[in-house]
Amino acid sequence: MAKPPRAWQRMLSGRRLDLLDPTPVDVEIEDIAHGLAFVARWNGQTKGDYAYSVAEHSLLVEQIFGRIAPTAPVKWRLAALLHDAPEYVIGDMISPVKAAVGPGYGALDERLEAAIHIRFGLPAKVPATVKRQIKKADRISAWMEATQIAGFSTSEADKFFGTPDPALKTGLSITLRPPVEVRDDFTARHATLIKAMP
């Protein structure tokens, strides 16, 4: 009988995260922040001396979400910050690759997201209305990234991500920084939101 393939990953915290059956007890914010700070968006196909990381993207999405839903409870700001958190172990795949991989990727992402949410006091599944608001913020961030660092024309970005409301992106910009700085800012923002939760 063949030995089943290894389905866990050793994290820098020492935790052993089972990817097929993740438990909240094995989730640590330091592992998430570190992993996301070193995962490049756009498969690394961006301008600049540093990759645009998922952690940097997540910080921007949380800011934009705050503009979309300024009176939302702090827990939904935390959900916005953590919206791509499963990518700390499964990486960031561009949409065409996710479609090619099929439903297995989505199921894996959902299991990890549930464990992460429960670990930090969020419901396993975010309400649909909040999920839509986070997705809107995510698409605005993607539009900004596409036009500023990923080589898309404005019309191309409008086609794929929608034309963003200028008020939701005014004063915001894409920042490229060393991963360690982004990791520290992500961890600090997480701590601030956790402290503000009732």
Side-chain angles (χ1 to χ4, degrees), residues 7-156:
W8 56 268
Q9 180 175 345
R10 177 72 64 196
M11 311 310 292
L12 288 178
S13 64
R15 297 288 189 188
R16 190 169 112 161
L17 183 70
D18 185 329
L19 301 179
L20 301 180
D21 187 23
T23 60
V25 75
D26 290 322
V27 173
E28 299 292 347
I29 194 58
E30 294 79 10
D31 293 331
I32 293 172
H34 183 84
L36 295 183
F38 283 90
V39 173
R41 290 210 10 114
W42 306 95
N43 285 338
Q45 297 300 305
T46 51
K47 299 171 187 170
D49 294 332
Y50 296 103
Y52 188 73
S53 72
V54 174
E56 194 80 76
H57 162 79
S58 298
L59 287 163
L60 180 58
V61 168
E62 191 254 325
Q63 274 190 289
I64 297 168
F65 174 80
R67 292 180 176 195
I68 292 169
T71 61
V74 70
K75 66 181 176 180
W76 303 139
R77 300 267 320 225
L78 179 62
L81 181 71
L82 296 172
H83 79 283
D84 278 339
E87 294 178 7
Y88 85 110
V89 285
I90 59 177
D92 180 41
M93 287 191 204
I94 59 173
S95 297
V97 175
K98 287 179 186 175
V101 170
Y105 178 89
L108 179 60
D109 185 83
E110 285 176 14
R111 285 194 297 272
L112 285 162
E113 182 179 69
I116 291 163
H117 281 188
I118 292 166
R119 170 67 175 85
F120 299 116
L122 297 170
K125 288 185 90 59
V126 172
T129 53
V130 176
K131 192 95 170 167
R132 280 193 298 273
Q133 291 170 322
I134 294 171
K135 188 63 184 172
K136 181 177 180 180
D138 188 39
R139 291 175 71 84
I140 292 168
S141 178
W143 185 95
M144 292 173 64
E145 295 161 31
T147 57
Q148 292 181 37
I149 59 171
F152 283 59
S153 66
T154 299
S155 60
E156 204 175 21

